[in-house]
Amino acid sequence: GTLLLTIINGQTCSAPGDSCVERTFIALKPDAIQRGLVGDIINRFERKGFHLLGLKFVQPSRQLVEKHYEEHLGRPFYEGLVNYMTSGPVLASVWEGKNIISSSRSLLGATDPSKAAPGTIRGDLATQVGRNLVHASDSPANAEREIGLWFQPEEVQSWSRALKKWINE
Ligand code: ADP
């Protein structure tokens, strides 16, 4: 069943209908805020049909960013990354949608904006890896972990959209 498809496709979400709706954590990094790109970037997620569950403007602490990026501890870019991510406010968000974890990363484009395809956020709006505008969780486990780091449970809303049946059959 779904598990087998998951293994074959290397994805977590391959079943039709509502059975593979996922949640993810998206953050607009300080450069997106400084450059006034909030509306443009959020607009792309809304137009895609993703469902907004949580949104907040936060100045992250060093401790929060270090936890968020703990898998990169020891990498040459780690210190610069933590400085970048704490350099100003971040727009943190939680979204839901079918196959949203891999799909939102497609909307972002490659980590290095110089390699990101036109039409993607990074391909259209950024030029280098150290200023790549936006973060999206890369797995269901990381999505859960990151939502828990950045949001209190009561800051994530469950609500039903009238449009729902026009987005997913
Ligand atoms: P992604 O954000 O696409 O999931 P990674 O998890 O590999 O990418 O890296 C996390 C973040 O670290 C990147 O979005 C980028 O801001 C930064 N980063 C990654 N590689 C480099 C690098 N070589 N130089 C500078 N910053 C980097």
Side-chain angles (χ1 to χ4, degrees), residues 33-70:
I33 311 306
Q34 293 287 352
R35 292 178 53 197
L37 294 172
V38 168
D40 186 317
I41 295 171
I42 295 290
N43 193 226
R44 294 171 188 238
F45 288 94
E46 286 191 313
R47 283 190 299 159
K48 177 75 173 168
F50 293 146
H51 185 50
L52 180 65
L53 300 180
L55 184 69
K56 68 175 177 179
F57 198 40
V58 285
Q59 170 59 60
S61 65
R62 258 194 117 69
Q63 191 192 13
L64 173 59
V65 169
E66 285 172 358
K67 267 233 130 316
H68 176 87
Y69 279 127
E70 65 188 3

mmCIF file of all heavy atoms in Angstrom, residues 33-70:
data_model
loop_
_atom_site.group_PDB
_atom_site.id
_atom_site.type_symbol
_atom_site.label_atom_id
_atom_site.label_comp_id
_atom_site.label_asym_id
_atom_site.label_seq_id
_atom_site.Cartn_x
_atom_site.Cartn_y
_atom_site.Cartn_z
ATOM 1 N N ILE A 33 12.651 39.554 4.596
ATOM 2 C CA ILE A 33 11.973 40.646 5.300
ATOM 3 C C ILE A 33 12.595 41.989 4.906
ATOM 4 O O ILE A 33 11.891 42.927 4.510
ATOM 5 C CB ILE A 33 12.088 40.454 6.838
ATOM 6 C CG1 ILE A 33 11.710 39.037 7.287
ATOM 7 C CG2 ILE A 33 11.279 41.530 7.573
ATOM 8 C CD1 ILE A 33 10.376 38.530 6.851
ATOM 9 N N GLN A 34 13.929 42.054 4.980
ATOM 10 C CA GLN A 34 14.635 43.314 4.675
ATOM 11 C C GLN A 34 14.361 43.772 3.251
ATOM 12 O O GLN A 34 14.274 44.974 2.983
ATOM 13 C CB GLN A 34 16.151 43.139 4.870
ATOM 14 C CG GLN A 34 16.584 42.904 6.303
ATOM 15 C CD GLN A 34 16.507 44.142 7.171
ATOM 16 O OE1 GLN A 34 16.261 45.242 6.692
ATOM 17 N NE2 GLN A 34 16.697 43.956 8.471
ATOM 18 N N ARG A 35 14.216 42.820 2.329
ATOM 19 C CA ARG A 35 14.027 43.173 0.925
ATOM 20 C C ARG A 35 12.562 43.403 0.546
ATOM 21 O O ARG A 35 12.250 43.688 -0.611
ATOM 22 C CB ARG A 35 14.659 42.087 0.036
ATOM 23 C CG ARG A 35 16.190 42.062 0.151
ATOM 24 C CD ARG A 35 16.809 40.957 -0.706
ATOM 25 N NE ARG A 35 16.350 41.045 -2.079
ATOM 26 C CZ ARG A 35 16.441 40.054 -2.977
ATOM 27 N NH1 ARG A 35 16.987 38.904 -2.618
ATOM 28 N NH2 ARG A 35 16.000 40.220 -4.204
ATOM 29 N N GLY A 36 11.677 43.284 1.522
ATOM 30 C CA GLY A 36 10.257 43.547 1.246
ATOM 31 C C GLY A 36 9.608 42.502 0.353
ATOM 32 O O GLY A 36 8.730 42.824 -0.453
ATOM 33 N N LEU A 37 10.042 41.239 0.507
ATOM 34 C CA LEU A 37 9.522 40.174 -0.359
ATOM 35 C C LEU A 37 8.463 39.305 0.320
ATOM 36 O O LEU A 37 8.068 38.269 -0.237
ATOM 37 C CB LEU A 37 10.694 39.297 -0.847
ATOM 38 C CG LEU A 37 11.694 40.022 -1.768
ATOM 39 C CD1 LEU A 37 12.909 39.132 -2.042
ATOM 40 C CD2 LEU A 37 11.020 40.431 -3.073
ATOM 41 N N VAL A 38 7.997 39.721 1.490
ATOM 42 C CA VAL A 38 7.022 38.903 2.229
ATOM 43 C C VAL A 38 5.785 38.603 1.380
ATOM 44 O O VAL A 38 5.377 37.450 1.230
ATOM 45 C CB VAL A 38 6.617 39.601 3.555
ATOM 46 C CG1 VAL A 38 5.403 38.918 4.181
ATOM 47 C CG2 VAL A 38 7.790 39.594 4.533
ATOM 48 N N GLY A 39 5.185 39.647 0.826
ATOM 49 C CA GLY A 39 3.953 39.467 0.044
ATOM 50 C C GLY A 39 4.178 38.549 -1.144
ATOM 51 O O GLY A 39 3.385 37.633 -1.401
ATOM 52 N N ASP A 40 5.248 38.777 -1.870
ATOM 53 C CA ASP A 40 5.556 37.974 -3.060
ATOM 54 C C ASP A 40 5.697 36.491 -2.699
ATOM 55 O O ASP A 40 5.132 35.624 -3.367
ATOM 56 C CB ASP A 40 6.852 38.502 -3.698
ATOM 57 C CG ASP A 40 7.180 37.821 -5.029
ATOM 58 O OD1 ASP A 40 7.043 36.581 -5.123
ATOM 59 O OD2 ASP A 40 7.591 38.516 -5.962
ATOM 60 N N ILE A 41 6.443 36.212 -1.628
ATOM 61 C CA ILE A 41 6.717 34.803 -1.287
ATOM 62 C C ILE A 41 5.471 34.117 -0.727
ATOM 63 O O ILE A 41 5.118 33.010 -1.154
ATOM 64 C CB ILE A 41 7.927 34.704 -0.326
ATOM 65 C CG1 ILE A 41 9.198 35.202 -1.045
ATOM 66 C CG2 ILE A 41 8.107 33.271 0.172
ATOM 67 C CD1 ILE A 41 10.420 35.361 -0.159
ATOM 68 N N ILE A 42 4.769 34.777 0.190
ATOM 69 C CA ILE A 42 3.541 34.184 0.756
ATOM 70 C C ILE A 42 2.505 33.963 -0.342
ATOM 71 O O ILE A 42 1.796 32.955 -0.377
ATOM 72 C CB ILE A 42 2.955 35.108 1.863
ATOM 73 C CG1 ILE A 42 3.904 35.216 3.041
ATOM 74 C CG2 ILE A 42 1.575 34.616 2.315
ATOM 75 C CD1 ILE A 42 4.045 33.970 3.871
ATOM 76 N N ASN A 43 2.444 34.904 -1.255
ATOM 77 C CA ASN A 43 1.511 34.813 -2.379
ATOM 78 C C ASN A 43 1.702 33.520 -3.170
ATOM 79 O O ASN A 43 0.729 32.893 -3.607
ATOM 80 C CB ASN A 43 1.722 36.035 -3.279
ATOM 81 C CG ASN A 43 0.607 36.221 -4.293
ATOM 82 O OD1 ASN A 43 0.848 36.458 -5.468
ATOM 83 N ND2 ASN A 43 -0.621 36.114 -3.848
ATOM 84 N N ARG A 44 2.952 33.102 -3.349
ATOM 85 C CA ARG A 44 3.213 31.886 -4.125
ATOM 86 C C ARG A 44 2.653 30.650 -3.427
ATOM 87 O O ARG A 44 2.135 29.747 -4.087
ATOM 88 C CB ARG A 44 4.720 31.725 -4.357
ATOM 89 C CG ARG A 44 5.287 32.829 -5.247
ATOM 90 C CD ARG A 44 6.805 32.761 -5.284
ATOM 91 N NE ARG A 44 7.350 33.911 -5.978
ATOM 92 C CZ ARG A 44 8.142 33.838 -7.067
ATOM 93 N NH1 ARG A 44 8.501 32.678 -7.557
ATOM 94 N NH2 ARG A 44 8.598 34.939 -7.626
ATOM 95 N N PHE A 45 2.755 30.618 -2.099
ATOM 96 C CA PHE A 45 2.207 29.467 -1.357
ATOM 97 C C PHE A 45 0.683 29.489 -1.386
ATOM 98 O O PHE A 45 0.039 28.444 -1.544
ATOM 99 C CB PHE A 45 2.733 29.457 0.084
ATOM 100 C CG PHE A 45 4.179 29.068 0.181
ATOM 101 C CD1 PHE A 45 5.182 30.027 0.196
ATOM 102 C CD2 PHE A 45 4.549 27.729 0.206
ATOM 103 C CE1 PHE A 45 6.524 29.666 0.240
ATOM 104 C CE2 PHE A 45 5.889 27.355 0.252
ATOM 105 C CZ PHE A 45 6.871 28.339 0.267
ATOM 106 N N GLU A 46 0.098 30.669 -1.255
ATOM 107 C CA GLU A 46 -1.365 30.772 -1.308
ATOM 108 C C GLU A 46 -1.888 30.381 -2.690
ATOM 109 O O GLU A 46 -2.849 29.625 -2.812
ATOM 110 C CB GLU A 46 -1.815 32.204 -0.985
ATOM 111 C CG GLU A 46 -1.684 32.557 0.483
ATOM 112 C CD GLU A 46 -2.391 33.869 0.795
ATOM 113 O OE1 GLU A 46 -2.205 34.848 0.048
ATOM 114 O OE2 GLU A 46 -3.132 33.903 1.795
ATOM 115 N N ARG A 47 -1.250 30.901 -3.740
ATOM 116 C CA ARG A 47 -1.713 30.615 -5.106
ATOM 117 C C ARG A 47 -1.574 29.139 -5.453
ATOM 118 O O ARG A 47 -2.379 28.591 -6.196
ATOM 119 C CB ARG A 47 -0.942 31.458 -6.130
ATOM 120 C CG ARG A 47 -1.413 32.895 -6.174
ATOM 121 C CD ARG A 47 -0.801 33.622 -7.355
ATOM 122 N NE ARG A 47 0.653 33.644 -7.271
ATOM 123 C CZ ARG A 47 1.472 33.836 -8.300
ATOM 124 N NH1 ARG A 47 0.982 34.002 -9.510
ATOM 125 N NH2 ARG A 47 2.761 33.858 -8.131
ATOM 126 N N LYS A 48 -0.565 28.495 -4.899
ATOM 127 C CA LYS A 48 -0.374 27.062 -5.136
ATOM 128 C C LYS A 48 -1.560 26.259 -4.606
ATOM 129 O O LYS A 48 -1.891 25.198 -5.112
ATOM 130 C CB LYS A 48 0.929 26.619 -4.439
ATOM 131 C CG LYS A 48 1.241 25.145 -4.523
ATOM 132 C CD LYS A 48 1.747 24.739 -5.887
ATOM 133 C CE LYS A 48 2.201 23.283 -5.876
ATOM 134 N NZ LYS A 48 2.421 22.783 -7.243
ATOM 135 N N GLY A 49 -2.196 26.799 -3.576
ATOM 136 C CA GLY A 49 -3.341 26.105 -2.968
ATOM 137 C C GLY A 49 -3.050 25.562 -1.587
ATOM 138 O O GLY A 49 -3.873 24.839 -1.027
ATOM 139 N N PHE A 50 -1.883 25.898 -1.036
ATOM 140 C CA PHE A 50 -1.569 25.421 0.311
ATOM 141 C C PHE A 50 -2.400 26.173 1.342
ATOM 142 O O PHE A 50 -2.868 27.288 1.118
ATOM 143 C CB PHE A 50 -0.068 25.572 0.592
ATOM 144 C CG PHE A 50 0.796 24.661 -0.250
ATOM 145 C CD1 PHE A 50 2.054 25.071 -0.673
ATOM 146 C CD2 PHE A 50 0.350 23.395 -0.629
ATOM 147 C CE1 PHE A 50 2.850 24.233 -1.448
ATOM 148 C CE2 PHE A 50 1.144 22.552 -1.406
ATOM 149 C CZ PHE A 50 2.394 22.976 -1.810
ATOM 150 N N HIS A 51 -2.560 25.518 2.483
ATOM 151 C CA HIS A 51 -3.492 25.957 3.523
ATOM 152 C C HIS A 51 -2.682 26.496 4.702
ATOM 153 O O HIS A 51 -1.896 25.752 5.296
ATOM 154 C CB HIS A 51 -4.322 24.718 3.903
ATOM 155 C CG HIS A 51 -5.423 24.939 4.856
ATOM 156 N ND1 HIS A 51 -6.362 25.925 4.698
ATOM 157 C CD2 HIS A 51 -5.774 24.262 5.977
ATOM 158 C CE1 HIS A 51 -7.239 25.846 5.697
ATOM 159 N NE2 HIS A 51 -6.903 24.853 6.489
ATOM 160 N N LEU A 52 -2.886 27.766 5.018
ATOM 161 C CA LEU A 52 -2.116 28.414 6.090
ATOM 162 C C LEU A 52 -2.683 28.064 7.450
ATOM 163 O O LEU A 52 -3.868 28.254 7.711
ATOM 164 C CB LEU A 52 -2.162 29.935 5.888
ATOM 165 C CG LEU A 52 -1.412 30.787 6.910
ATOM 166 C CD1 LEU A 52 0.094 30.538 6.860
ATOM 167 C CD2 LEU A 52 -1.712 32.269 6.680
ATOM 168 N N LEU A 53 -1.837 27.561 8.338
ATOM 169 C CA LEU A 53 -2.277 27.162 9.686
ATOM 170 C C LEU A 53 -1.669 28.012 10.793
ATOM 171 O O LEU A 53 -2.217 28.089 11.890
ATOM 172 C CB LEU A 53 -1.913 25.689 9.947
ATOM 173 C CG LEU A 53 -2.517 24.643 9.014
ATOM 174 C CD1 LEU A 53 -2.056 23.254 9.419
ATOM 175 C CD2 LEU A 53 -4.029 24.712 9.006
ATOM 176 N N GLY A 54 -0.530 28.629 10.513
ATOM 177 C CA GLY A 54 0.118 29.432 11.550
ATOM 178 C C GLY A 54 1.070 30.423 10.909
ATOM 179 O O GLY A 54 1.679 30.122 9.883
ATOM 180 N N LEU A 55 1.169 31.625 11.524
ATOM 181 C CA LEU A 55 2.026 32.669 10.957
ATOM 182 C C LEU A 55 2.449 33.606 12.073
ATOM 183 O O LEU A 55 1.604 34.134 12.795
ATOM 184 C CB LEU A 55 1.218 33.443 9.912
ATOM 185 C CG LEU A 55 1.923 34.535 9.103
ATOM 186 C CD1 LEU A 55 2.934 33.932 8.134
ATOM 187 C CD2 LEU A 55 0.884 35.333 8.301
ATOM 188 N N LYS A 56 3.762 33.799 12.246
ATOM 189 C CA LYS A 56 4.193 34.791 13.225
ATOM 190 C C LYS A 56 5.552 35.381 12.896
ATOM 191 O O LYS A 56 6.403 34.736 12.294
ATOM 192 C CB LYS A 56 4.145 34.243 14.644
ATOM 193 C CG LYS A 56 5.133 33.182 14.961
ATOM 194 C CD LYS A 56 5.030 32.839 16.460
ATOM 195 C CE LYS A 56 5.954 31.713 16.812
ATOM 196 N NZ LYS A 56 5.909 31.376 18.235
ATOM 197 N N PHE A 57 5.688 36.648 13.310
ATOM 198 C CA PHE A 57 6.887 37.437 13.039
ATOM 199 C C PHE A 57 7.732 37.390 14.296
ATOM 200 O O PHE A 57 7.307 37.859 15.352
ATOM 201 C CB PHE A 57 6.412 38.859 12.730
ATOM 202 C CG PHE A 57 7.414 39.723 12.031
ATOM 203 C CD1 PHE A 57 8.226 39.223 11.027
ATOM 204 C CD2 PHE A 57 7.503 41.070 12.346
ATOM 205 C CE1 PHE A 57 9.125 40.048 10.364
ATOM 206 C CE2 PHE A 57 8.393 41.900 11.688
ATOM 207 C CZ PHE A 57 9.204 41.392 10.691
ATOM 208 N N VAL A 58 8.904 36.788 14.201
ATOM 209 C CA VAL A 58 9.723 36.586 15.403
ATOM 210 C C VAL A 58 11.175 36.984 15.192
ATOM 211 O O VAL A 58 11.728 36.791 14.113
ATOM 212 C CB VAL A 58 9.721 35.106 15.873
ATOM 213 C CG1 VAL A 58 8.432 34.750 16.536
ATOM 214 C CG2 VAL A 58 10.022 34.140 14.747
ATOM 215 N N GLN A 59 11.762 37.520 16.255
ATOM 216 C CA GLN A 59 13.216 37.693 16.286
ATOM 217 C C GLN A 59 13.762 36.436 16.972
ATOM 218 O O GLN A 59 13.660 36.287 18.189
ATOM 219 C CB GLN A 59 13.586 38.948 17.083
ATOM 220 C CG GLN A 59 15.079 39.076 17.369
ATOM 221 C CD GLN A 59 15.934 39.118 16.105
ATOM 222 O OE1 GLN A 59 15.776 40.005 15.288
ATOM 223 N NE2 GLN A 59 16.837 38.147 15.950
ATOM 224 N N PRO A 60 14.307 35.481 16.186
ATOM 225 C CA PRO A 60 14.745 34.239 16.819
ATOM 226 C C PRO A 60 15.995 34.427 17.668
ATOM 227 O O PRO A 60 16.870 35.223 17.314
ATOM 228 C CB PRO A 60 15.013 33.311 15.638
ATOM 229 C CG PRO A 60 15.217 34.182 14.468
ATOM 230 C CD PRO A 60 14.517 35.487 14.735
ATOM 231 N N SER A 61 16.049 33.717 18.777
ATOM 232 C CA SER A 61 17.251 33.708 19.610
ATOM 233 C C SER A 61 18.311 32.842 18.936
ATOM 234 O O SER A 61 18.006 32.006 18.082
ATOM 235 C CB SER A 61 16.919 33.128 20.989
ATOM 236 O OG SER A 61 16.559 31.768 20.849
ATOM 237 N N ARG A 62 19.556 33.029 19.349
ATOM 238 C CA ARG A 62 20.649 32.168 18.868
ATOM 239 C C ARG A 62 20.349 30.710 19.203
ATOM 240 O O ARG A 62 20.587 29.816 18.397
ATOM 241 C CB ARG A 62 21.963 32.565 19.562
ATOM 242 C CG ARG A 62 22.867 33.399 18.705
ATOM 243 C CD ARG A 62 24.273 33.478 19.278
ATOM 244 N NE ARG A 62 25.250 32.868 18.377
ATOM 245 C CZ ARG A 62 25.602 33.378 17.209
ATOM 246 N NH1 ARG A 62 25.066 34.475 16.755
ATOM 247 N NH2 ARG A 62 26.501 32.758 16.459
ATOM 248 N N GLN A 63 19.828 30.511 20.400
ATOM 249 C CA GLN A 63 19.531 29.155 20.865
ATOM 250 C C GLN A 63 18.513 28.465 19.947
ATOM 251 O O GLN A 63 18.683 27.291 19.596
ATOM 252 C CB GLN A 63 18.994 29.249 22.295
ATOM 253 C CG GLN A 63 18.899 27.920 22.996
ATOM 254 C CD GLN A 63 18.105 28.027 24.294
ATOM 255 O OE1 GLN A 63 17.427 29.039 24.563
ATOM 256 N NE2 GLN A 63 18.153 26.979 25.098
ATOM 257 N N LEU A 64 17.474 29.200 19.554
ATOM 258 C CA LEU A 64 16.458 28.624 18.664
ATOM 259 C C LEU A 64 17.056 28.274 17.299
ATOM 260 O O LEU A 64 16.845 27.176 16.775
ATOM 261 C CB LEU A 64 15.282 29.614 18.508
ATOM 262 C CG LEU A 64 14.210 29.232 17.490
ATOM 263 C CD1 LEU A 64 13.556 27.897 17.814
ATOM 264 C CD2 LEU A 64 13.145 30.330 17.395
ATOM 265 N N VAL A 65 17.851 29.191 16.753
ATOM 266 C CA VAL A 65 18.443 28.948 15.433
ATOM 267 C C VAL A 65 19.447 27.794 15.500
ATOM 268 O O VAL A 65 19.517 26.954 14.593
ATOM 269 C CB VAL A 65 19.076 30.247 14.884
ATOM 270 C CG1 VAL A 65 19.934 29.964 13.658
ATOM 271 C CG2 VAL A 65 17.981 31.263 14.564
ATOM 272 N N GLU A 66 20.208 27.732 16.586
ATOM 273 C CA GLU A 66 21.165 26.621 16.732
ATOM 274 C C GLU A 66 20.445 25.282 16.805
ATOM 275 O O GLU A 66 20.896 24.285 16.240
ATOM 276 C CB GLU A 66 22.052 26.843 17.965
ATOM 277 C CG GLU A 66 23.107 27.921 17.706
ATOM 278 C CD GLU A 66 23.900 28.316 18.947
ATOM 279 O OE1 GLU A 66 23.614 27.778 20.041
ATOM 280 O OE2 GLU A 66 24.806 29.158 18.813
ATOM 281 N N LYS A 67 19.307 25.238 17.489
ATOM 282 C CA LYS A 67 18.513 23.996 17.539
ATOM 283 C C LYS A 67 17.959 23.666 16.156
ATOM 284 O O LYS A 67 18.003 22.532 15.688
ATOM 285 C CB LYS A 67 17.343 24.138 18.532
ATOM 286 C CG LYS A 67 17.661 23.651 19.896
ATOM 287 C CD LYS A 67 16.698 22.655 20.482
ATOM 288 C CE LYS A 67 16.985 21.355 21.114
ATOM 289 N NZ LYS A 67 17.886 20.442 20.580
ATOM 290 N N HIS A 68 17.411 24.701 15.525
ATOM 291 C CA HIS A 68 16.815 24.517 14.194
ATOM 292 C C HIS A 68 17.826 23.915 13.214
ATOM 293 O O HIS A 68 17.497 23.011 12.445
ATOM 294 C CB HIS A 68 16.287 25.865 13.686
ATOM 295 C CG HIS A 68 15.746 25.847 12.298
ATOM 296 N ND1 HIS A 68 14.444 25.515 12.015
ATOM 297 C CD2 HIS A 68 16.344 26.081 11.104
ATOM 298 C CE1 HIS A 68 14.258 25.560 10.702
ATOM 299 N NE2 HIS A 68 15.394 25.910 10.127
ATOM 300 N N TYR A 69 19.055 24.437 13.242
ATOM 301 C CA TYR A 69 20.089 23.996 12.288
ATOM 302 C C TYR A 69 21.116 23.069 12.931
ATOM 303 O O TYR A 69 22.258 23.011 12.476
ATOM 304 C CB TYR A 69 20.780 25.219 11.668
ATOM 305 C CG TYR A 69 19.989 25.855 10.528
ATOM 306 C CD1 TYR A 69 19.691 27.214 10.535
ATOM 307 C CD2 TYR A 69 19.557 25.096 9.434
ATOM 308 C CE1 TYR A 69 18.981 27.800 9.487
ATOM 309 C CE2 TYR A 69 18.845 25.673 8.392
ATOM 310 C CZ TYR A 69 18.562 27.023 8.415
ATOM 311 O OH TYR A 69 17.868 27.598 7.378
ATOM 312 N N GLU A 70 20.722 22.308 13.945
ATOM 313 C CA GLU A 70 21.708 21.486 14.663
ATOM 314 C C GLU A 70 22.397 20.455 13.755
ATOM 315 O O GLU A 70 23.538 20.101 13.986
ATOM 316 C CB GLU A 70 21.098 20.813 15.915
ATOM 317 C CG GLU A 70 20.028 19.804 15.644
ATOM 318 C CD GLU A 70 19.342 19.316 16.931
ATOM 319 O OE1 GLU A 70 19.665 19.821 18.026
ATOM 320 O OE2 GLU A 70 18.482 18.430 16.804
#
